[in-house]
Amino acid sequence: MADVLPLVEARLRSALGEPDARAAVTFLGTDRIEVLRFPAGGQEGDIVRYATLGMSAQPMADPTAALADPVKGPRAELVLSVRAGLADTGKVLRPLAVLAASPQVEGVIVAPGASLDVGEALWPGAPFTSVLVAEPGGLVEDLELDAPLDPVRFLPLLPMTPNEAAWKRVHGAPALQERWLTHGTDLRDPSRRSVPLD
């Protein structure tokens, strides 16, 4: 069985360039999760990206299954994009690692449309404590693995204010995304206000 993580890191580097920082976090009873920071530059000069590395080492298991399948099951890493220089977003490394460890710690499957909450500000002064998991494939293409392994999907994270998260629970992810689109919300602004929800 090939080690998945070197392939994942290679895919991240080919899509996002060279990381300028990385941090590793290990939670009790879990594999090590790294978070890589890719500096602003390239086509979108002011966007800095953070990507997890380690979540895809194991497939995510159905929490209702009696026994986790060590081979089959969805695999993913998380990617967060924010505008550089507007907030102290470097502190997002630990919250991102917490989210990436959630399949191992809490037995959840992270998929598009899901809400993930860290229970505290994503970075100092951030108006967000949770994220919406968006559809993969735009920024970093899925990484196909040898059968019978599922491909690794790179899931974008969209920060949500507490009001947006509560509204999304009632109305659903597509309705919140439609509202963001209608109001021209800059989802990469690390200090943006909540979209109007009335």
Side-chain angles (χ1 to χ4, degrees):
M1 194 69 67
D3 187 0
V4 171
L5 297 184
L7 302 174
V8 171
E9 183 168 351
R11 173 58 54 92
L12 285 169
R13 285 170 181 263
S14 69
L16 305 177
E18 286 299 309
D20 68 348
R22 60 198 305 153
V25 182
T26 306
F27 303 99
L28 194 63
T30 68
D31 295 332
R32 188 167 98 138
I33 304 282
E34 287 192 88
V35 180
L36 281 56
R37 184 179 74 187
F38 295 89
Q43 296 102 350
E44 301 171 281
D46 65 340
I47 304 295
V48 61
R49 305 191 194 278
Y50 300 90
T52 63
L53 179 64
M55 182 176 169
S56 61
Q58 308 287 335
M60 291 183 272
D62 182 343
T64 61
L67 200 62
D69 189 319
V71 177
K72 288 192 166 180
R75 293 175 190 259
E77 297 289 354
L78 308 175
V79 181
L80 175 70
S81 302
V82 289
R83 294 202 180 282
L86 301 179
D88 185 12
T89 56
K91 301 279 197 315
V92 78
L93 299 176
R94 185 170 173 78
L96 274 183
V98 169
L99 296 179
S102 61
Q104 288 184 63
V105 175
E106 298 168 34
V108 296
I109 292 182
V110 177
S115 302
L116 302 175
D117 197 316
V118 293
E120 60 184 26
L122 288 175
W123 52 82
F128 319 106
T129 61
S130 62
V131 293
L132 175 66
V133 182
E135 290 291 337
L139 187 61
V140 186
E141 284 184 33
D142 291 357
L143 173 64
E144 297 294 333
L145 300 173
D146 293 338
L149 302 184
D150 287 30
V152 176
R153 304 170 86 201
F154 298 88
L155 302 173
L157 300 181
L158 307 175
M160 292 188 291
T161 66
N163 284 349
E164 290 169 339
W167 198 86
K168 181 250 173 194
R169 277 194 293 277
V170 175
H171 300 278
L176 177 59
Q177 289 177 297
E178 182 62 37
R179 192 148 282 241
W180 281 337
L181 201 60
T182 303
H183 289 272
T185 306
D186 180 2
L187 295 172
R188 295 164 172 173
D189 180 350
S191 52
R192 72 174 179 84
R193 298 184 182 281
S194 184
V195 72
L197 296 169
D198 31 297

PDB file of all heavy atoms in Angstrom, residues 120-141:
ATOM      1  N   GLU A 120     -14.244  28.247  18.881  1.00  0.00           N
ATOM      2  CA  GLU A 120     -13.513  29.477  19.222  1.00  0.00           C
ATOM      3  C   GLU A 120     -13.187  30.187  17.919  1.00  0.00           C
ATOM      4  O   GLU A 120     -13.370  29.636  16.835  1.00  0.00           O
ATOM      5  CB  GLU A 120     -12.221  29.131  19.979  1.00  0.00           C
ATOM      6  CG  GLU A 120     -11.267  28.258  19.181  1.00  0.00           C
ATOM      7  CD  GLU A 120     -10.021  27.845  19.974  1.00  0.00           C
ATOM      8  OE1 GLU A 120     -10.087  27.793  21.201  1.00  0.00           O
ATOM      9  OE2 GLU A 120      -9.000  27.571  19.319  1.00  0.00           O
ATOM     10  N   ALA A 121     -12.714  31.413  18.023  1.00  0.00           N
ATOM     11  CA  ALA A 121     -12.367  32.176  16.820  1.00  0.00           C
ATOM     12  C   ALA A 121     -11.307  31.434  16.014  1.00  0.00           C
ATOM     13  O   ALA A 121     -10.381  30.855  16.577  1.00  0.00           O
ATOM     14  CB  ALA A 121     -11.858  33.563  17.211  1.00  0.00           C
ATOM     15  N   LEU A 122     -11.461  31.433  14.693  1.00  0.00           N
ATOM     16  CA  LEU A 122     -10.508  30.724  13.833  1.00  0.00           C
ATOM     17  C   LEU A 122      -9.101  31.315  13.936  1.00  0.00           C
ATOM     18  O   LEU A 122      -8.121  30.617  13.737  1.00  0.00           O
ATOM     19  CB  LEU A 122     -10.972  30.757  12.381  1.00  0.00           C
ATOM     20  CG  LEU A 122     -12.185  29.879  12.039  1.00  0.00           C
ATOM     21  CD1 LEU A 122     -12.607  30.098  10.595  1.00  0.00           C
ATOM     22  CD2 LEU A 122     -11.873  28.414  12.278  1.00  0.00           C
ATOM     23  N   TRP A 123      -9.021  32.611  14.213  1.00  0.00           N
ATOM     24  CA  TRP A 123      -7.745  33.291  14.492  1.00  0.00           C
ATOM     25  C   TRP A 123      -8.089  34.479  15.392  1.00  0.00           C
ATOM     26  O   TRP A 123      -9.265  34.824  15.534  1.00  0.00           O
ATOM     27  CB  TRP A 123      -7.040  33.730  13.197  1.00  0.00           C
ATOM     28  CG  TRP A 123      -7.906  34.524  12.266  1.00  0.00           C
ATOM     29  CD1 TRP A 123      -8.186  35.865  12.331  1.00  0.00           C
ATOM     30  CD2 TRP A 123      -8.637  34.017  11.136  1.00  0.00           C
ATOM     31  NE1 TRP A 123      -9.035  36.218  11.321  1.00  0.00           N
ATOM     32  CE2 TRP A 123      -9.330  35.120  10.573  1.00  0.00           C
ATOM     33  CE3 TRP A 123      -8.762  32.766  10.546  1.00  0.00           C
ATOM     34  CZ2 TRP A 123     -10.141  34.987   9.444  1.00  0.00           C
ATOM     35  CZ3 TRP A 123      -9.567  32.633   9.438  1.00  0.00           C
ATOM     36  CH2 TRP A 123     -10.249  33.729   8.892  1.00  0.00           C
ATOM     37  N   PRO A 124      -7.113  35.112  16.028  1.00  0.00           N
ATOM     38  CA  PRO A 124      -7.418  36.189  16.978  1.00  0.00           C
ATOM     39  C   PRO A 124      -8.277  37.285  16.358  1.00  0.00           C
ATOM     40  O   PRO A 124      -7.959  37.805  15.289  1.00  0.00           O
ATOM     41  CB  PRO A 124      -6.031  36.724  17.360  1.00  0.00           C
ATOM     42  CG  PRO A 124      -5.115  35.560  17.167  1.00  0.00           C
ATOM     43  CD  PRO A 124      -5.662  34.813  15.975  1.00  0.00           C
ATOM     44  N   GLY A 125      -9.399  37.572  17.006  1.00  0.00           N
ATOM     45  CA  GLY A 125     -10.294  38.628  16.524  1.00  0.00           C
ATOM     46  C   GLY A 125     -11.180  38.223  15.363  1.00  0.00           C
ATOM     47  O   GLY A 125     -11.939  39.043  14.847  1.00  0.00           O
ATOM     48  N   ALA A 126     -11.110  36.974  14.922  1.00  0.00           N
ATOM     49  CA  ALA A 126     -11.919  36.537  13.772  1.00  0.00           C
ATOM     50  C   ALA A 126     -13.402  36.527  14.136  1.00  0.00           C
ATOM     51  O   ALA A 126     -13.764  36.107  15.228  1.00  0.00           O
ATOM     52  CB  ALA A 126     -11.492  35.144  13.317  1.00  0.00           C
ATOM     53  N   PRO A 127     -14.273  36.965  13.202  1.00  0.00           N
ATOM     54  CA  PRO A 127     -15.711  36.898  13.455  1.00  0.00           C
ATOM     55  C   PRO A 127     -16.287  35.514  13.150  1.00  0.00           C
ATOM     56  O   PRO A 127     -17.494  35.348  13.101  1.00  0.00           O
ATOM     57  CB  PRO A 127     -16.281  37.958  12.498  1.00  0.00           C
ATOM     58  CG  PRO A 127     -15.293  38.044  11.388  1.00  0.00           C
ATOM     59  CD  PRO A 127     -13.949  37.684  11.958  1.00  0.00           C
ATOM     60  N   PHE A 128     -15.420  34.530  12.938  1.00  0.00           N
ATOM     61  CA  PHE A 128     -15.860  33.182  12.545  1.00  0.00           C
ATOM     62  C   PHE A 128     -15.407  32.139  13.562  1.00  0.00           C
ATOM     63  O   PHE A 128     -14.270  32.174  14.022  1.00  0.00           O
ATOM     64  CB  PHE A 128     -15.256  32.788  11.190  1.00  0.00           C
ATOM     65  CG  PHE A 128     -15.231  33.898  10.179  1.00  0.00           C
ATOM     66  CD1 PHE A 128     -14.040  34.524   9.856  1.00  0.00           C
ATOM     67  CD2 PHE A 128     -16.382  34.313   9.550  1.00  0.00           C
ATOM     68  CE1 PHE A 128     -13.992  35.557   8.930  1.00  0.00           C
ATOM     69  CE2 PHE A 128     -16.359  35.347   8.622  1.00  0.00           C
ATOM     70  CZ  PHE A 128     -15.166  35.966   8.308  1.00  0.00           C
ATOM     71  N   THR A 129     -16.301  31.203  13.882  1.00  0.00           N
ATOM     72  CA  THR A 129     -15.913  30.042  14.698  1.00  0.00           C
ATOM     73  C   THR A 129     -16.163  28.742  13.943  1.00  0.00           C
ATOM     74  O   THR A 129     -15.818  27.675  14.428  1.00  0.00           O
ATOM     75  CB  THR A 129     -16.704  29.987  16.022  1.00  0.00           C
ATOM     76  OG1 THR A 129     -18.103  29.877  15.711  1.00  0.00           O
ATOM     77  CG2 THR A 129     -16.457  31.225  16.872  1.00  0.00           C
ATOM     78  N   SER A 130     -16.768  28.848  12.765  1.00  0.00           N
ATOM     79  CA  SER A 130     -17.075  27.636  12.008  1.00  0.00           C
ATOM     80  C   SER A 130     -16.843  27.878  10.517  1.00  0.00           C
ATOM     81  O   SER A 130     -16.652  29.019  10.079  1.00  0.00           O
ATOM     82  CB  SER A 130     -18.520  27.185  12.254  1.00  0.00           C
ATOM     83  OG  SER A 130     -19.416  28.183  11.809  1.00  0.00           O
ATOM     84  N   VAL A 131     -16.853  26.781   9.773  1.00  0.00           N
ATOM     85  CA  VAL A 131     -16.650  26.857   8.322  1.00  0.00           C
ATOM     86  C   VAL A 131     -17.701  26.002   7.622  1.00  0.00           C
ATOM     87  O   VAL A 131     -18.227  25.044   8.191  1.00  0.00           O
ATOM     88  CB  VAL A 131     -15.241  26.362   7.912  1.00  0.00           C
ATOM     89  CG1 VAL A 131     -14.160  27.300   8.418  1.00  0.00           C
ATOM     90  CG2 VAL A 131     -14.995  24.936   8.397  1.00  0.00           C
ATOM     91  N   LEU A 132     -17.993  26.383   6.394  1.00  0.00           N
ATOM     92  CA  LEU A 132     -18.824  25.567   5.512  1.00  0.00           C
ATOM     93  C   LEU A 132     -17.882  24.828   4.571  1.00  0.00           C
ATOM     94  O   LEU A 132     -16.976  25.432   3.994  1.00  0.00           O
ATOM     95  CB  LEU A 132     -19.782  26.453   4.718  1.00  0.00           C
ATOM     96  CG  LEU A 132     -20.633  25.742   3.662  1.00  0.00           C
ATOM     97  CD1 LEU A 132     -21.607  24.768   4.309  1.00  0.00           C
ATOM     98  CD2 LEU A 132     -21.391  26.762   2.815  1.00  0.00           C
ATOM     99  N   VAL A 133     -18.065  23.532   4.439  1.00  0.00           N
ATOM    100  CA  VAL A 133     -17.242  22.735   3.514  1.00  0.00           C
ATOM    101  C   VAL A 133     -17.839  22.871   2.117  1.00  0.00           C
ATOM    102  O   VAL A 133     -19.013  22.563   1.894  1.00  0.00           O
ATOM    103  CB  VAL A 133     -17.204  21.255   3.943  1.00  0.00           C
ATOM    104  CG1 VAL A 133     -16.317  20.450   3.001  1.00  0.00           C
ATOM    105  CG2 VAL A 133     -16.718  21.126   5.389  1.00  0.00           C
ATOM    106  N   ALA A 134     -17.026  23.364   1.169  1.00  0.00           N
ATOM    107  CA  ALA A 134     -17.504  23.607  -0.195  1.00  0.00           C
ATOM    108  C   ALA A 134     -17.137  22.435  -1.109  1.00  0.00           C
ATOM    109  O   ALA A 134     -16.448  21.497  -0.706  1.00  0.00           O
ATOM    110  CB  ALA A 134     -16.911  24.912  -0.719  1.00  0.00           C
ATOM    111  N   GLU A 135     -17.609  22.516  -2.339  1.00  0.00           N
ATOM    112  CA  GLU A 135     -17.343  21.463  -3.328  1.00  0.00           C
ATOM    113  C   GLU A 135     -15.870  21.489  -3.752  1.00  0.00           C
ATOM    114  O   GLU A 135     -15.305  22.561  -3.947  1.00  0.00           O
ATOM    115  CB  GLU A 135     -18.214  21.664  -4.575  1.00  0.00           C
ATOM    116  CG  GLU A 135     -19.692  21.386  -4.353  1.00  0.00           C
ATOM    117  CD  GLU A 135     -19.996  19.920  -4.121  1.00  0.00           C
ATOM    118  OE1 GLU A 135     -19.197  19.054  -4.544  1.00  0.00           O
ATOM    119  OE2 GLU A 135     -21.040  19.626  -3.502  1.00  0.00           O
ATOM    120  N   PRO A 136     -15.254  20.312  -3.903  1.00  0.00           N
ATOM    121  CA  PRO A 136     -13.843  20.267  -4.315  1.00  0.00           C
ATOM    122  C   PRO A 136     -13.688  20.415  -5.820  1.00  0.00           C
ATOM    123  O   PRO A 136     -14.676  20.474  -6.550  1.00  0.00           O
ATOM    124  CB  PRO A 136     -13.420  18.863  -3.865  1.00  0.00           C
ATOM    125  CG  PRO A 136     -14.665  18.048  -4.041  1.00  0.00           C
ATOM    126  CD  PRO A 136     -15.811  18.969  -3.696  1.00  0.00           C
ATOM    127  N   GLY A 137     -12.420  20.457  -6.264  1.00  0.00           N
ATOM    128  CA  GLY A 137     -12.138  20.367  -7.696  1.00  0.00           C
ATOM    129  C   GLY A 137     -11.747  21.670  -8.354  1.00  0.00           C
ATOM    130  O   GLY A 137     -11.177  21.669  -9.440  1.00  0.00           O
ATOM    131  N   GLY A 138     -12.050  22.806  -7.732  1.00  0.00           N
ATOM    132  CA  GLY A 138     -11.733  24.074  -8.382  1.00  0.00           C
ATOM    133  C   GLY A 138     -10.265  24.449  -8.267  1.00  0.00           C
ATOM    134  O   GLY A 138      -9.582  24.664  -9.265  1.00  0.00           O
ATOM    135  N   LEU A 139      -9.771  24.480  -7.038  1.00  0.00           N
ATOM    136  CA  LEU A 139      -8.420  24.969  -6.785  1.00  0.00           C
ATOM    137  C   LEU A 139      -7.384  23.857  -6.911  1.00  0.00           C
ATOM    138  O   LEU A 139      -6.365  24.006  -7.576  1.00  0.00           O
ATOM    139  CB  LEU A 139      -8.376  25.571  -5.375  1.00  0.00           C
ATOM    140  CG  LEU A 139      -7.103  26.284  -4.972  1.00  0.00           C
ATOM    141  CD1 LEU A 139      -6.834  27.467  -5.877  1.00  0.00           C
ATOM    142  CD2 LEU A 139      -7.193  26.733  -3.519  1.00  0.00           C
ATOM    143  N   VAL A 140      -7.651  22.727  -6.259  1.00  0.00           N
ATOM    144  CA  VAL A 140      -6.741  21.579  -6.300  1.00  0.00           C
ATOM    145  C   VAL A 140      -7.554  20.373  -6.788  1.00  0.00           C
ATOM    146  O   VAL A 140      -8.554  20.010  -6.175  1.00  0.00           O
ATOM    147  CB  VAL A 140      -6.146  21.273  -4.905  1.00  0.00           C
ATOM    148  CG1 VAL A 140      -5.103  20.163  -5.006  1.00  0.00           C
ATOM    149  CG2 VAL A 140      -5.534  22.521  -4.283  1.00  0.00           C
ATOM    150  N   GLU A 141      -7.113  19.786  -7.888  1.00  0.00           N
ATOM    151  CA  GLU A 141      -7.852  18.643  -8.451  1.00  0.00           C
ATOM    152  C   GLU A 141      -7.757  17.426  -7.533  1.00  0.00           C
ATOM    153  O   GLU A 141      -6.770  17.243  -6.822  1.00  0.00           O
ATOM    154  CB  GLU A 141      -7.276  18.274  -9.819  1.00  0.00           C
ATOM    155  CG  GLU A 141      -7.683  19.208 -10.929  1.00  0.00           C
ATOM    156  CD  GLU A 141      -7.153  18.713 -12.273  1.00  0.00           C
ATOM    157  OE1 GLU A 141      -7.064  17.480 -12.465  1.00  0.00           O
ATOM    158  OE2 GLU A 141      -6.831  19.564 -13.105  1.00  0.00           O
TER     159      GLU A 141
END
